[in-house]
Amino acid sequence: MSEARKIRVLIVDDSTVIRRLLTQVLADDPNIEVVGTAPNGRIALAKIPNLKPDVVTLDIEMPEMDGLQTLTELRKIDRKLPVIMFSTLTHRGAEGTLDALERGANDYVGKPANVGSVTEGIAKVRGEMVPKIKGLCSWFQDHLQLARATQRSAQASSGPEATGLGNALLDSCSSPTFRRTPKQRVDVIAIGVSTGGPNALAQVLPSLPADLPVPVVIVQHMPPVFTKHLADRLNTKCSVTVAEAKAGDSLQPGTVWIAPGDFHMTVKAVGASHRVVLDQSAPVNSCRPAVDVLFQSVASNFGPGTLACILTGMGSDGLQGCRDVAKAGGHIIAQDRETSVVWGMPAAVTNAGLAHQVLSLQRVGAELTKHAMHGRNKLTLVKSGA
């Protein structure tokens, strides 16, 4: 990374301790510069025009102007400045964070709690905050992609043997092939999503009809507590029933199950039905729940009847799972770059040539419905409690 430019971060938090902790965490990274701090939203908004930050970290509970008020005012003047909420992992913190995401925040990181030492707390924040800052900074991501492309070009031109390898790498990363499979009956929809996921799901799931003839299973990268609040919120907005999954739940048409935070979710055939299985085995791709774990299980159980959908998110969780879905004969939809908050997870699947369709977020719900309805007579389902 060139010394000429670093990611400029503004830290907004009423706690002096938190401001110092975050400043220390971020200052240790050579690609990040803390250009300012503010104890409340009013001061932060006044500083933004002069500091010109690339990313803002924002507390929720602050005097004078809290995080939600700050975000509302910020989005009136700047729709694109990335904002990461730095909130407590509590019921109240979860509600506030989901409110912030609805108002235009891009992501969130939980404040350290119940950790053994300050050093452990700093390491935890660093492991979550730094990748999210870098992932949300578009010019930094463009720089990384250019550097990788340059490296691949250098490898490709270093000799006959390397040329073949380099071209293969270039082909796999920049020239995806979109294979179309014959239309077939879909028996389950599996969705994987991370950064930007709550808002993406809030657009996709309400477009699914109450008579959707298949179950939907979802991994959204979120900590415990948050997934229950997310499911409850989505349930009020959807015709389908949305719930946080519990071990033993039977997959039913017209119902959506979201994996609970800190648990992998898989499915298991029990007689003529399929049931939810939860476990706390080791994280996969540093995630629990992990998209790969869910997709691999669904592919194994439903084979060519699997419809996998990979939405906005950092990293490549879901890539191996989509490989398994493809091998099983299932269909794969990926969100496009233009409508993704972070085109990481869908990019990994698309660039590997696994996506049968690459769609804008606005088209995903209708396409999922079309695939699910194919080959079926319409059912009449009534949302429980309606």
Side-chain angles (χ1 to χ4, degrees):
M1 182 72 193
S2 170
E3 291 294 328
R5 189 173 186 188
K6 296 183 178 182
I7 302 172
R8 300 167 61 83
V9 178
L10 171 63
I11 297 170
V12 187
D13 201 295
D14 66 322
S15 167
T16 303
V17 172
I18 292 295
R19 294 199 301 272
R20 286 176 179 170
L21 182 147
L22 265 183
T23 299
Q24 179 181 343
V25 165
L26 301 182
D28 288 341
D29 192 286
N31 296 316
I32 297 175
E33 176 186 7
V34 176
V35 294
T37 64
N40 61 58
R42 196 175 306 282
I43 294 174
L45 290 172
K47 286 188 172 187
I48 285 174
N50 291 326
L51 294 178
K52 294 181 171 57
D54 296 304
V55 178
V56 174
T57 71
L58 185 59
D59 186 23
I60 293 179
E61 297 184 14
M62 298 181 292
E64 292 193 50
M65 181 179 281
D66 66 20
L68 296 180
Q69 294 171 317
T70 304
L71 192 57
T72 299
E73 294 305 311
L74 175 60
R75 287 301 178 234
K76 290 178 182 178
I77 58 176
D78 192 328
R79 302 292 301 175
K80 295 184 178 180
L81 177 60
V83 175
I84 299 174
M85 306 308 296
F86 195 40
S87 58
T88 54
L89 298 179
T90 62
H91 287 280
R92 184 173 178 177
E95 282 293 328
T97 299
L98 290 172
D99 284 339
L101 292 171
E102 287 183 355
R103 296 190 190 198
N106 301 86
D107 209 343
Y108 60 91
V109 171
K111 290 185 177 179
N114 301 321
V115 293
S117 66
V118 174
T119 301
E120 187 179 346
I122 289 174
K124 187 175 187 301
V125 173
R126 180 183 293 113
E128 293 187 39
M129 183 68 81
V130 170
K132 292 189 176 186
I133 287 173
K134 292 179 178 179
L136 288 170
C137 185
S138 58
W139 67 259
F140 184 83
Q141 289 301 308
D142 289 343
H143 175 91
L144 289 182
Q145 290 180 16
L146 179 60
R148 289 168 185 153
T150 302
Q151 182 180 16
R152 291 196 299 268
S153 296
Q155 291 173 341
S157 61
S158 61
E161 219 171 59
T163 298
L165 175 61
N167 287 338
L169 285 168
L170 282 169
D171 288 343
S172 66
C173 294
S174 58
S175 302
T177 57
F178 304 106
R179 300 182 306 281
R180 297 269 181 184
T181 56
K183 282 192 173 182
Q184 55 204 9
R185 179 185 170 105
V186 167
D187 297 312
V188 67
I189 296 172
I191 299 174
V193 62
S194 186
T195 310
N199 286 344
L201 293 174
Q203 181 156 345
V204 171
L205 297 186
S207 67
L208 302 179
D211 61 352
L212 189 77
V214 301
V216 181
V217 286
I218 297 175
V219 161
Q220 157 73 66
H221 293 158
M222 270 189 159
V225 179
F226 281 57
T227 45
K228 175 67 165 61
H229 285 278
L230 176 64
D232 289 346
R233 284 191 176 213
L234 289 170
N235 190 50
T236 66
K237 301 175 181 179
C238 298
S239 299
V240 290
T241 298
V242 184
E244 183 184 56
K246 301 186 299 296
D249 281 346
S250 177
L251 301 192
Q252 299 295 329
T255 305
V256 178
W257 284 267
I258 298 178
D262 204 31
F263 284 85
H264 289 309
M265 180 167 72
T266 56
V267 297
K268 178 182 179 181
V270 179
S273 66
H274 287 83
R275 296 188 179 273
V276 169
V277 178
L278 303 177
D279 72 77
Q280 289 186 303
S281 55
V284 175
N285 304 312
S286 301
C287 301
R288 189 171 62 204
V291 180
D292 274 343
V293 172
L294 176 63
F295 280 18
Q296 289 168 335
S297 171
V298 169
S300 175
N301 279 271
F302 292 92
T306 302
L307 173 56
C309 179
I310 196 87
L311 300 177
T312 175
M314 293 181 197
S316 59
D317 188 26
L319 174 59
Q320 185 55 53
C322 282
R323 288 193 178 109
D324 287 351
V325 171
K327 288 178 184 176
H331 193 86
I332 299 167
I333 294 174
Q335 186 176 348
D336 67 6
R337 180 171 188 169
E338 290 71 21
T339 61
S340 295
V341 173
V342 178
W343 204 54
M345 288 161 48
V349 172
T350 301
N351 290 338
L354 295 169
H356 298 90
Q357 295 173 274
V358 180
L359 304 174
S360 67
L361 183 63
Q362 294 78 6
R363 294 180 56 198
V364 169
E367 198 64 23
L368 293 178
T369 301
K370 184 173 76 173
H371 282 282
M373 293 295 190
H374 176 72
R376 286 183 167 90
N377 294 322
K378 294 195 71 174
L379 303 178
T380 301
L381 300 179
V382 179
K383 181 174 178 176
S384 58

